[in-house]
Each structure stands twice: as structure tokens, then as C-alpha cells.
Amino acid sequence: ICKPAEMEKLMENDVFMAFSTYAAIVILKMMLMAPMTAYYRLTRGAFANDEDVSRKPAEERKKLLRAHPDVERVRRCHQNDLENIIPFVVIGLLYALSGPELSTALLHFRLFTGSRIFHTIAYVGALPQPSRGLSWMLGMLVTFSMAYRVCMYMYL
Amino acid sequence: ICKPAEMEKLMENDVFMAFSTYAAIVILKMMLMAPMTAYYRLTRGAFANDEDVSRKPAEERKKLLRAHPDVERVRRCHQNDLENIIPFVVIGLLYALSGPELSTALLHFRLFTGSRIFHTIAYVGALPQPSRGLSWMLGMLVTFSMAYRVCMYMYL
Amino acid sequence: ICKPAEMEKLMENDVFMAFSTYAAIVILKMMLMAPMTAYYRLTRGAFANDEDVSRKPAEERKKLLRAHPDVERVRRCHQNDLENIIPFVVIGLLYALSGPELSTALLHFRLFTGSRIFHTIAYVGALPQPSRGLSWMLGMLVTFSMAYRVCMYMYL
């Protein structure tokens, strides 16, 4: 956005830099759920497509096309990331452009990032509730708090 | 983007402000599907994880780990939001940056937002078809219309 | 972003223009999975909601509310797009704003777009592995490569 000279100014904007950093961290964390799903599919022997088991002995194939609780758990965690991290990135971008205080913005970004990392640990590790529920709720509240500021600039 | 002084100019750009407003509304609408899912899980007694039912009497637990049609309906609605609202936000951002007329842009943003709110009512309320189908199609057409303008600036 | 005069400068920034182009292409490709799902639902007779089959003869309705392997395959492909294309758009936007060389940026964007188009062909066409696996991995590697550059500008 803006031409190269102006883009360097963007990279001098601390709030936007902080947003970029934490957005990249949570998106990368979300992307790691895919290799984790692959790992569980391989170790648990639970696949979704015929072509994924075509090299296995014919008598094993049918058994390998199944859902395994560990795989489904990681997939639910991945889905929960999609449902929460993407709204954070969109609302967070608009929030960063609305010119908040750097310290307030950092508090939002760090709380969200921490809550989602803990949420993944609680989900994949099946920690007792309400650990997962509370970390999910903290992430939601941080996003709503940023949305509240964005809504002060409403143009309907 | 751009440094603080320039960011205030962003907030003086009507098309971008309008985009921010409607993007925030549809993203918040999408986020509300999560508490709605939680509400249906609790009232219908249909959970997905062992640790979510660990405080229930042992003989009830197994029965509560099930799929319930009302929960699955809300989840399908949430998934449809992910599949439609996120493309709107991405294409809409590029569209807003391409400098359209304010009135044309507002028409696009309002039609999309209205169509998705109605879509949720039609889906969760199980209204007779083609109400849900038409509202889904309207949202798709609005996004394609914005994409058409974005594609006029193609750099392949 | 920035006011109209400055937005035209954005449209003169080649890297951002290239990002817009390829982001629009992969998002539109992802959106096409929805009509494809609808097509398979109609031709295979496999629906998810009561109201979608309410005009069919009463004795057929129950049979039509089912999962069909071809529909599920397209839906898994759509889900894989959500899990990979959205991270590309977010990381790609931050990458484009970090001022990379145009030729390097184009290489990233084109490789990703090509890998995802091939991934869809491999998935929907059930091509023998590892065609789908390799195209998925190429897309992931391109996104990680862009994220690596974004992370050089970290502000924690």
C-alpha cells in the first residue's frame, strides 16, 4: 500500500508492526495444525481418501478409512482456530489502522496470542475443563474489545 | 498503514471507512455463531469432547457425547459463514482500495451484510427453501461483482 | 488506505498489485468449491437439511438426507482451501507490505496459485498420491517462505 518510500513508513509504524508480528505468529500456529493432523492420521492409521491408502495391502485398506478420536480432536482444534484466529486478524487490522496506543494494542495482541497457544495445548492435551473454555473466552473478549474501538469509527 | 498522521487520513477515506464498518459487522455476526453453538450444545446435551462432560454422572456421559441435529445445523451455518464472509472481507478490502464510487461501494457492502444476516435467520430458523439458497446466492453475486472490479487492475 | 490521491499510488505499486491479483484468483477458486458442492449434492442426491428436500416425495426424503462420498470429497477440498488459502492471503499481505523484490514476490504468488489449482484437480479427480500431498506441501512451503521474511520485521 502506498509506494515503496511510503511503505517503509508503514514499517516505522509501531502498532502496525506489532499487529503484523502477532498476526503472523497466530496464523503460523494455526498452519501447524495441518502437519499435526497428518502426524495423527499416520500414527493412528486413520485416513479420509481412497488414494491415501492405495499402497497398503488390500485387506487393510478398508480398516484404515475411518475416523479416529485423536485425529478428530486435532481437526476440531484446527476448526476452532479458523473460527477465532481469522476474526482476530481482520478486526485486528482495522483496529491497528484506527491508531490505538501502542501499549494498549500490544496488550490486546499478546493476550490473544497467549490465549490461543494455551487453547491448543488444552485442546490437544485434553486438559480438564474449564481450561479450554476459559482460554477460548479470553480470545473472544480480546477480539470484541478491539471491535468496540473499530465500531467507534462506524460509517453506516 | 502509513504513519500516524497518514492513518488519520485513512479514517477520512469514506469508502475505506464504510468497508471497515461492514466488515466488522459481518465478522462479529460470524463470531456470534460460536456462543450459539455452545448454547445448543448445553440445552440439547450434545458434546464433542470427553473433558466437556467429565462432571456429569458417569452413566450419562456416554449419551451426552453425540451429534444433535440442532447443533449440527448451527455448525453448518457457521461453516457457511467462514466460506462466504472471509472471501467478502478479502475481496472487499482490495475493492475498497481500488477507489470505487462511495454510493456503489455502500450498495455492495449493505447488500452483502443484509444477505448474510437473512441467511443466518433462514438457516437457524429452517425457513422453507429457496429463502436460504437465494440469500446465499445474493452474497456470492455481490462478492463476484466486487471481484470483477478488482480484476480490472490485474497484474499477472 | 490513505486518501484517494494516495490510493492511486497504491495501484502503482507493482508488488501490491501482483498480490491483489493472485489473492483474488485463489479466493475466487476457493469460492467455486461452493457451487461445485451444490452440483454434487443435486446430482448425487445427498442433502444436509430437511428444508432442502421438502419438495421431494415424502418416501424419498429420508434417503436423500445422507452423506455421499463425492460430496464429502469436495467438502474436504473446500476445507483444505480454507486452511491454506486464508493463511496465504494474510501472510502474503504482510509480505507485500514488507517491500520484497517484484520478481521474488511474483515467484511466490505464482507458485502458490499454481499449487492450489493443481491441488484441487488432484483432490476432486482423486489422482494417485503423492500428487495431492506434494501440491499441498508446495503451497505450505511458499507461505512459510513469505512468513520468514515477515518475521525479520518482528516487533514483540
Side-chain angles (χ1 to χ4, degrees):
Chain A
I1 297 193
C2 322
K3 55 184 179 178
E6 280 167 329
M7 296 219 304
E8 278 159 30
K9 284 179 195 154
L10 162 66
M11 290 306 165
E12 288 162 18
N13 179 325
D14 287 344
V15 172
F16 189 85
M17 287 294 291
F19 167 71
S20 292
T21 303
Y22 289 97
I25 291 171
V26 288
I27 289 281
L28 288 171
K29 190 227 80 54
M30 182 171 86
M31 289 179 74
L32 288 180
M33 302 313 288
M36 202 187 286
T37 303
Y39 169 80
Y40 277 101
R41 284 199 183 281
L42 288 166
T43 56
R44 267 53 169 182
F47 298 90
N49 298 289
D50 288 331
E51 65 269 29
D52 300 351
V53 295
S54 60
R55 289 173 191 190
K56 309 276 179 179
E59 66 275 15
E60 276 187 33
R61 275 180 217 163
K62 198 122 199 185
K63 275 192 294 181
L64 291 169
L65 289 174
R66 56 168 183 158
H68 186 284
D70 294 350
V71 174
E72 296 310 305
R73 178 178 285 277
V74 177
R75 290 182 64 218
R76 286 196 298 276
C77 184
H78 198 167
Q79 182 72 11
N80 198 280
D81 274 354
L82 285 169
E83 292 169 5
N84 288 275
I85 287 176
I86 298 166
F88 166 80
V89 170
V90 175
I91 299 288
L93 174 67
L94 303 176
Y95 170 79
L97 294 174
S98 76
E101 283 292 320
L102 176 61
S103 57
T104 316
L106 277 172
L107 183 66
H108 281 83
F109 301 156
R110 286 172 181 160
L111 270 178
F112 183 85
T113 304
S115 77
R116 293 310 300 184
I117 291 171
F118 183 78
H119 180 271
T120 302
I121 296 168
Y123 215 146
V124 177
L127 300 192
Q129 286 283 29
S131 60
R132 194 186 86 229
L134 289 179
S135 59
W136 168 77
M137 200 168 287
L138 177 58
M140 290 281 278
L141 290 176
V142 170
T143 308
F144 281 129
S145 167
M146 295 191 304
Y148 178 74
R149 185 184 162 90
V150 170
C151 289
M152 287 172 11
Y153 292 86
M154 281 243 158
Y155 188 108
L156 290 161
Chain B
I1 299 196
C2 322
K3 55 185 180 179
E6 282 167 329
M7 296 221 302
E8 278 159 32
K9 284 179 197 157
L10 163 66
M11 291 305 166
E12 288 162 20
N13 179 324
D14 288 344
V15 171
F16 190 85
M17 287 293 292
F19 167 71
S20 292
T21 303
Y22 289 97
I25 291 171
V26 289
I27 289 282
L28 288 171
K29 191 227 80 55
M30 182 170 87
M31 289 179 74
L32 288 180
M33 302 312 289
M36 202 187 288
T37 304
Y39 170 81
Y40 278 101
R41 284 198 182 284
L42 289 165
T43 55
R44 267 53 170 182
F47 298 90
N49 297 290
D50 288 332
E51 65 269 28
D52 300 351
V53 294
S54 60
R55 288 171 190 191
K56 308 278 178 176
E59 67 275 16
E60 277 187 34
R61 274 178 219 166
K62 198 123 198 184
K63 273 192 295 183
L64 292 169
L65 289 175
R66 55 167 183 159
H68 187 283
D70 294 349
V71 175
E72 296 309 304
R73 177 178 284 278
V74 177
R75 291 182 64 219
R76 284 196 300 275
C77 183
H78 198 168
Q79 182 71 13
N80 198 280
D81 274 354
L82 285 169
E83 292 169 4
N84 287 275
I85 288 176
I86 298 165
F88 166 79
V89 170
V90 175
I91 299 288
L93 174 66
L94 303 176
Y95 171 78
L97 294 173
S98 77
E101 283 292 320
L102 177 61
S103 57
T104 316
L106 277 172
L107 183 67
H108 280 85
F109 302 157
R110 286 172 181 160
L111 270 178
F112 184 86
T113 304
S115 77
R116 293 309 302 183
I117 291 171
F118 183 78
H119 180 271
T120 302
I121 296 168
Y123 214 147
V124 177
L127 300 193
Q129 287 280 32
S131 60
R132 194 187 87 230
L134 289 179
S135 59
W136 168 76
M137 201 168 287
L138 178 59
M140 290 280 278
L141 291 176
V142 170
T143 308
F144 281 129
S145 167
M146 295 192 304
Y148 178 74
R149 186 185 161 88
V150 170
C151 288
M152 288 172 13
Y153 292 86
M154 281 244 159
Y155 188 108
L156 291 161
Chain C
I1 297 194
C2 323
K3 55 184 179 177
E6 280 166 330
M7 295 220 303
E8 279 160 32
K9 285 179 196 157
L10 163 66
M11 290 307 165
E12 288 162 19
N13 180 325
D14 287 344
V15 172
F16 190 85
M17 287 293 292
F19 167 71
S20 292
T21 302
Y22 289 97
I25 291 171
V26 289
I27 289 283
L28 288 171
K29 191 226 80 54
M30 182 170 87
M31 291 178 73
L32 289 180
M33 301 314 289
M36 202 187 287
T37 303
Y39 169 81
Y40 278 101
R41 284 198 183 284
L42 289 166
T43 55
R44 267 56 170 179
F47 298 90
N49 297 290
D50 287 332
E51 65 269 27
D52 300 351
V53 295
S54 59
R55 288 171 191 192
K56 308 277 177 177
E59 67 274 17
E60 276 187 36
R61 274 178 219 167
K62 198 124 200 182
K63 275 192 294 181
L64 292 169
L65 290 174
R66 55 167 184 158
H68 186 284
D70 294 349
V71 174
E72 296 309 304
R73 177 178 286 277
V74 177
R75 291 183 63 219
R76 285 196 300 276
C77 184
H78 198 168
Q79 182 71 13
N80 198 280
D81 275 354
L82 284 170
E83 293 169 4
N84 288 276
I85 287 176
I86 299 165
F88 166 80
V89 170
V90 175
I91 299 288
L93 174 66
L94 303 176
Y95 170 79
L97 295 173
S98 77
E101 283 292 320
L102 176 61
S103 57
T104 316
L106 277 172
L107 183 68
H108 281 84
F109 302 156
R110 285 170 182 163
L111 270 178
F112 184 85
T113 304
S115 77
R116 294 310 299 184
I117 290 172
F118 182 78
H119 181 271
T120 302
I121 295 168
Y123 214 147
V124 178
L127 299 193
Q129 286 282 31
S131 60
R132 193 186 86 230
L134 289 179
S135 59
W136 168 76
M137 200 169 287
L138 177 58
M140 290 280 277
L141 290 176
V142 170
T143 308
F144 281 129
S145 167
M146 295 192 304
Y148 178 74
R149 187 185 161 92
V150 170
C151 288
M152 287 171 13
Y153 291 87
M154 282 244 158
Y155 188 109
L156 291 160

